[in-house]
Amino acid sequence: MLIPSNSVEKLGFTEIKELIKAHCLSVMGQQMVDKIQVMNNYDQILKFLSQANEFKNILENDEALPIHHFFDIKSLANKAKIEGAFLSEDEFYQVQASLSTVFAVIAYFNQREGLYPNLEALFEHLPIEKSILKKIEAVIDQKGKIRPNASRELADITAGIAKAEQEARRKIDQIFKNATANGWTADGSLTVRDGRLCIPLLAENKRKLKGFIHDESASGQTVYIEPEEVFSLNNNIRDLEFERRREIVRILTALTDELRPYVPLLLSYHGLLTKIDFVRAKALFAIDIEAEMPILVNDAKLKLQDARHPLLYLSFKAEKKTVVPLNVTIDGETRIVVVSGPNAGGKSVCMKTVGLLQMMAQAGLLIPASDVSTVGVFKQMFVDIGDDQSIESDLSTYSAHLSKMKNFVDMANGKTLVLIDEFGTGTDPQFGGPIAEAVLETLNQKQIRGVITTHYSNLKLFASNTPGIENASMLFDNVQMRPLYILEVGKPGSSYAFEIAQKIGLPKQVLDLARNKVGVNQKKVDTLLVDLEREKKEIFDTKLKLDKQQRQMDSLLTENEKLKNYLEENKKALIRDAKQEAKNIILNANKLVENTISGIKSSNADKEKTRQLRENLSRELEKNTAKTEPARPAKANEGLKPGDWVKLTGSETTGQVMEIVKENVIIAIGDLRTVAKKGRVQKVSKKEVPKEIRRSFSAGTGDVANFSPEIDVRGKRGEEALYEIEKLLDRALMMGIGSLKILHGKGDGILRKLIRDYLKKYDAVGRMEDEHADRGGDGITYVYLK
């Protein structure tokens, strides 16, 4: 049992599984890695550890295992199980290749009988049915194509096709030669049109040769004719090809029928290939981290020699640095190790190394430690690492810690491994220390095993005076003022607060003042009350300011919503009125032009009359000409770009620019989005933006680590789905995420079409595509952002 359930992520076990998956040759092996979990059955753990260790020995000391092909023959076997179905040539080739690998692996271990007993157990009692392979090889060749002599009928048909093709070619060559001699042909040689061999003739000679015209050149000067004599021969070839195709289907169907009784055995072979791939990946990862098989005991204890954190080891290896090994013992005498020492001295890494290596061993994985290390079996693992505060559950950091402590105290026993980082922190040390000490005393009475890190002096004192609990410290170089990352068991360690502060450069008078204050009682009550009153006033002022900004923002949102609704309601009417007005203008303009022309004619083009008529025409034209605004001088905010901070004109509302569309600016104000004209915003510097707004903006929208680029909108109404997708898209754009995954299901395709049509209007969306057919197809849409 793991408490909490996310302990595997806290200790880095999920990353370990991803590294193992990278060594798998097949999807089946990767799926098996995903199923790795912490076990508490001694025999099962020993079997998995021994298999990984034996495969590691093969990779390092023996000939390479003959592994060449890993195909998913499970799906092929299930297909063959259906009456009337048949496997294709390529599918039979996959079965053939997989069976060859299976038999080669079994033969490899048979030659080394007794050397690798745990790996041999993978195919123990598994029959070797080579007749399946022989039946397939009689029909399918080494290239995965059906053999020409797979049946007598197929051989006859193949020979007939070859003979007919030879006759047709001989005939058309003869006709082409004659036509060329007569000067009927165009430049070039025989060519293929519509799958037929044709003669290129000059268009004026097309009546001189009987046959079927398949095509002509772009200029029309050349036609491509299939001669009449060859036409019937080619038809005969086509008929023979159809017969050949029917015969191949008949042969494949018959072969599938022969394969059907062996489907259960094929599934067993599939299982063997999957397990081999899985164990091989574990062994390769063990070589990467220089892991060994520890001594496994069926007891709640461990003794790690030269242990290294695997993820830290890989990171340091890439940087050509060395990890300081860890030596620690937890048994019936020393049940709990309380680790203290300076910050950044390696306390947490020490505790996580113990937890992760124990978790790996109980999952059947070799660990980066000496092979004389001893690892036991714990029925439960309780982990408290990091800050688990929860807004939804109304839990602070300390409340979350206390909630875990309650579960630990209620459920822990002598078979439990407890790992707690920075025990008791998160509240006033005056009260957090005693509570932590009481919890530690209760856990010790329950005979639990564990590693605890702390800075609290009372816990160090309690550990030194309590049987079963041992102090330990991370060593620190007092001369060089640097941590040594070496665990020393038997004495507590100092936090070296003053020494570290001195190295950083804190003034001597400040350090002297701090030393004088050590051991002094808490501050006077009146001073504390004054401080509280000042903080209370600051909080109240901040609240008033936030309330004012919220009201202004609500007002802007209401105004925007009203404008949007008005435009939606009146858009059609406005367009209709505009069209009617334009129509009237055109009619009036036509009448005016006609009247002007008529007046000029009736006045015999009199100059004065013509001038008056033209002035009248110009006045009417000016009435219906749109007035253009004079060009405004360039402003500073016209250089806006995404990421700039702006303030809305006439308010104190501050936000960050997400996108600029023509003259409109999309602004993020906390978790809300609004659109404003460029003229209504004023660019401000980052320094002018209050820290709390920048901090809340960063926490609300910039936490990439907690951002998931996937969303499931199946079962939601269209408007609700689009709203959720729009929020996800906004966050993705602001964080620079490259792609999104939307699960909308298949159904009738209505929701899929609605979502894609909606996303097309975003300039930031580059393209959209379906998921792979095997993993959801058009029920999932990938959105790639520019």
Side-chain angles (χ1 to χ4, degrees):
M1 180 192 297
L2 295 175
I3 294 180
S5 58
N6 65 347
S7 298
V8 290
E9 286 87 8
K10 293 279 188 181
L11 291 174
F13 190 66
T14 303
E15 295 177 56
I16 296 294
K17 291 205 291 186
E18 289 299 319
L19 292 170
I20 296 173
K21 281 171 67 175
H23 288 293
C24 290
L25 296 173
S26 67
V27 176
M28 303 91 72
Q30 292 176 349
Q31 291 171 348
M32 204 163 182
V33 173
D34 286 332
K35 295 177 182 177
I36 292 179
Q37 57 185 354
V38 178
M39 302 171 285
N40 52 33
N41 182 288
Y42 171 83
D43 294 329
Q44 198 173 16
I45 295 170
L46 182 60
K47 180 182 73 174
F48 277 86
L49 283 173
S50 300
Q51 287 174 353
N53 193 47
E54 288 177 2
F55 213 115
K56 176 173 172 280
N57 189 23
I58 290 174
L59 293 171
E60 291 181 329
N61 306 311
D62 209 337
E63 294 178 13
L65 199 65
I67 300 174
H68 304 296
H69 301 286
F70 276 89
F71 294 110
D72 185 9
I73 57 176
K74 181 179 179 180
S75 60
L76 302 180
N78 289 330
K79 180 180 177 181
K81 190 164 54 175
I82 303 171
E83 285 289 334
F86 68 93
L87 301 183
S88 66
E89 295 170 69
D90 184 62
E91 289 171 339
F92 269 117
Y93 172 73
Q94 292 181 23
V95 175
Q96 179 188 33
S98 298
L99 292 181
S100 298
T101 298
V102 168
F103 298 148
V105 167
I106 294 175
Y108 179 93
F109 286 110
N110 286 339
Q111 293 171 4
R112 296 160 176 78
E113 187 175 358
L115 281 179
Y116 309 110
N118 292 282
L119 290 175
E120 289 173 13
L122 292 175
F123 55 87
E124 191 177 14
H125 309 304
L126 186 64
I128 301 174
E129 194 60 64
K130 290 193 175 181
S131 60
I132 307 174
L133 197 56
K134 290 179 181 178
K135 289 176 181 179
I136 296 174
E137 287 176 347
V139 175
I140 306 296
D141 62 20
Q142 294 301 316
K143 295 181 180 180
K145 300 299 180 183
I146 196 159
R147 296 182 185 276
N149 60 347
S151 72
R152 181 182 233 170
E153 291 80 5
L154 184 62
D156 292 340
I157 294 169
T158 303
I161 291 173
K163 184 178 178 181
E165 286 177 344
Q166 187 177 7
E167 178 63 20
R169 181 63 191 227
R170 186 188 62 77
K171 192 69 176 175
I172 199 169
D173 282 342
Q174 182 182 349
I175 297 171
F176 178 69
K177 186 177 180 181
N178 293 335
T180 303
N182 292 325
W184 299 345
T185 59
D187 293 338
S189 59
L190 293 173
T191 185
V192 177
R193 288 292 186 273
D194 298 330
R196 302 281 192 138
L197 202 57
C198 298
I199 297 174
L201 288 183
L202 295 171
E204 62 262 30
N205 298 323
K206 65 182 177 181
R207 303 296 181 192
K208 296 177 181 178
L209 184 65
K210 291 183 179 181
F212 184 84
I213 298 176
H214 283 277
D215 198 4
E216 67 176 14
S217 65
S219 63
Q221 295 181 356
T222 304
V223 295
Y224 300 93
I225 295 179
E226 183 181 14
E228 187 179 52
E229 298 93 326
V230 181
F231 189 82
S232 58
L233 291 173
N234 283 336
N235 284 342
N236 183 36
I237 293 171
R238 187 64 60 88
D239 291 340
L240 288 171
E241 287 175 344
F242 287 144
E243 283 184 33
R244 183 177 185 276
R245 203 170 300 165
R246 287 191 294 270
E247 179 60 15
I248 288 174
V249 171
R250 187 196 67 76
I251 293 170
L252 294 176
T253 303
L255 184 58
T256 305
D257 292 340
E258 290 184 79
L259 190 68
R260 192 166 292 118
Y262 298 102
V263 164
L265 186 56
L266 289 176
L267 294 175
S268 298
Y269 289 154
H270 171 86
L272 173 60
L273 287 176
T274 301
K275 291 171 186 174
I276 290 291
D277 189 20
F278 170 67
V279 180
R280 175 183 173 275
K282 292 199 298 181
L284 285 170
F285 177 70
I287 293 173
D288 288 348
I289 61 173
E290 296 185 8
E292 300 288 348
M293 179 176 171
I295 300 169
L296 186 69
V297 294
N298 197 8
D299 197 1
K301 65 180 183 179
L302 62 89
K303 181 180 180 181
L304 297 177
Q305 295 274 343
D306 296 330
R308 303 170 300 280
H309 193 290
L311 300 177
L312 185 64
Y313 172 80
L314 291 174
S315 175
F316 276 30
K317 186 178 179 182
E319 299 172 6
K320 297 183 179 180
K321 295 195 292 186
T322 306
V323 177
V324 178
L326 170 72
N327 299 314
V328 63
T329 300
I330 297 175
D331 52 25
E333 296 294 325
T334 305
R335 294 188 298 275
I336 303 174
V337 177
V338 177
V339 184
S340 52
N343 286 321
K347 300 190 301 298
S348 297
V349 173
C350 166
M351 182 205 62
K352 288 181 179 179
T353 301
V354 172
L356 180 57
L357 265 56
Q358 183 63 42
M359 192 174 282
M360 288 174 63
Q362 288 194 217
L365 303 176
L366 305 183
I367 61 173
S370 170
D371 56 0
V372 299
S373 299
T374 301
V375 174
V377 179
F378 293 92
K379 302 295 183 183
Q380 301 178 124
M381 292 182 69
F382 297 167
V383 179
D384 184 12
I385 299 174
D387 181 0
D388 281 339
Q389 61 179 316
S390 170
I391 295 175
E392 292 80 10
S393 304
D394 195 25
L395 292 177
S396 66
T397 301
Y398 189 62
S399 299
H401 286 308
L402 288 181
S403 179
K404 289 179 183 176
M405 292 307 107
K406 175 185 177 301
N407 292 330
F408 292 4
V409 169
D410 290 344
M411 304 173 68
N413 55 43
K415 296 285 186 179
T416 303
L417 179 66
V418 175
L419 305 169
I420 304 175
D421 193 24
E422 299 293 347
F423 194 27
T425 57
T427 189
D428 189 337
Q430 185 178 353
F431 303 104
I435 292 175
E437 183 176 330
V439 171
L440 181 58
E441 182 176 358
T442 304
L443 292 175
N444 185 46
Q445 290 171 358
K446 287 177 172 283
Q447 303 287 303
I448 65 102
R449 274 68 168 159
V451 177
I452 292 169
T453 70
T454 187
H455 284 289
Y456 283 0
S457 298
N458 66 306
L459 294 182
K460 302 175 190 177
L461 184 63
F462 178 75
S464 64
N465 297 323
T466 306
I469 305 179
E470 188 69 49
N471 270 310
S473 61
M474 302 304 296
L475 297 184
F476 191 82
D477 187 344
N478 289 320
V479 178
Q480 299 292 329
M481 297 303 293
R482 62 182 180 84
L484 300 176
Y485 306 109
I486 298 173
L487 180 69
E488 183 180 36
V489 179
K491 65 177 184 179
S494 170
S495 296
Y496 293 96
F498 289 105
E499 290 82 352
I500 294 173
Q502 183 177 351
K503 182 185 178 184
I504 289 174
L506 208 61
K508 184 177 183 301
Q509 62 270 26
V510 175
L511 291 173
D512 293 338
L513 184 62
R515 287 190 177 97
N516 293 332
K517 290 182 178 294
V518 174
V520 177
N521 294 331
Q522 64 183 42
K523 295 180 179 180
K524 293 181 180 181
V525 175
D526 56 348
T527 303
L528 178 62
L529 290 174
V530 170
D531 291 341
L532 289 174
E533 190 64 31
R534 185 185 69 252
E535 292 176 4
K536 181 180 177 182
K537 184 178 184 307
E538 290 176 356
I539 293 171
F540 181 74
D541 292 341
T542 303
K543 184 177 181 298
L544 289 178
K545 186 176 181 181
L546 289 174
D547 288 342
K548 181 180 178 181
Q549 291 179 347
Q550 185 65 45
R551 287 194 300 271
Q552 291 173 342
M553 187 163 54
D554 290 342
S555 176
L556 287 172
L557 287 173
T558 303
E559 181 182 349
N560 284 343
E561 192 64 31
K562 287 180 180 178
L563 287 172
K564 180 182 176 182
N565 293 336
Y566 174 79
L567 288 174
E568 288 294 330
E569 292 173 2
N570 296 280
K571 183 164 63 175
K572 291 183 179 179
L574 290 171
I575 292 173
R576 186 177 60 251
D577 293 345
K579 286 182 177 179
Q580 185 60 45
E581 184 177 350
K583 183 178 178 182
N584 293 336
I585 289 172
I586 292 170
L587 291 174
N588 292 334
N590 288 336
K591 289 179 182 178
L592 181 61
V593 170
E594 289 173 0
N595 292 337
T596 302
I597 293 171
S598 176
I600 292 172
K601 286 181 179 180
S602 63
S603 64
N604 294 321
D606 179 71
K607 288 185 178 181
E608 184 60 24
K609 186 67 175 177
T610 299
R611 186 183 61 77
Q612 292 176 358
L613 289 171
R614 283 181 175 174
E615 287 178 355
N616 183 37
L617 184 61
S618 298
R619 282 194 299 272
E620 291 298 324
L621 178 62
E622 189 176 352
K623 280 184 188 178
N624 294 293
T625 300
K627 301 296 188 292
T628 56
E629 292 277 339
R632 296 180 179 180
K635 295 184 179 179
N637 62 4
E638 288 180 353
L640 285 176
K641 60 182 182 299
D644 287 343
W645 292 93
V646 295
K647 184 181 291 186
L648 294 175
T649 305
S651 74
E652 295 299 315
T653 303
T654 305
Q656 195 171 30
V657 177
M658 288 180 58
E659 189 177 356
I660 299 174
V661 182
K662 296 183 179 178
E663 292 301 311
N664 296 321
V665 183
I666 301 173
I667 306 170
I669 305 174
D671 288 332
L672 298 174
R673 307 289 179 271
T674 188
V675 180
K677 294 290 184 182
K678 276 188 177 180
R680 287 200 59 199
V681 300
Q682 180 181 354
K683 184 176 178 180
V684 296
S685 66
K686 191 174 181 179
K687 292 181 180 178
E688 295 177 72
V689 181
K691 289 184 179 179
E692 55 269 23
I693 293 180
R694 279 182 282 163
R695 196 178 298 116
S696 65
F697 186 88
S698 172
T701 60
D703 192 1
V704 179
N706 295 328
F707 177 76
S708 173
E710 295 184 17
I711 186 170
D712 189 348
V713 295
R714 290 174 294 185
K716 294 186 178 181
R717 293 182 293 107
E719 293 180 359
E720 184 182 2
L722 293 180
Y723 174 73
E724 295 294 334
I725 291 170
E726 185 177 30
K727 290 200 299 182
L728 182 71
L729 182 62
D730 287 346
R731 293 194 66 194
L733 289 171
M734 296 184 69
M735 295 180 190
I737 304 298
S739 64
L740 302 175
K741 181 179 180 182
I742 303 174
L743 288 76
H744 45 65
K746 296 183 179 179
D748 295 327
I750 297 173
L751 184 58
R752 171 178 173 272
K753 185 177 185 304
L754 179 67
I755 290 171
R756 292 197 174 188
D757 290 343
Y758 177 76
L759 291 174
K760 285 178 182 176
K761 71 179 185 179
Y762 283 91
D763 293 335
V765 175
R767 59 187 174 90
M768 293 173 278
E769 65 183 29
D770 293 340
E771 172 63 280
H772 190 278
D774 294 340
R775 297 188 291 273
D778 59 2
I780 299 172
T781 293
Y782 276 100
V783 181
Y784 295 93
L785 305 177
K786 295 179 180 177

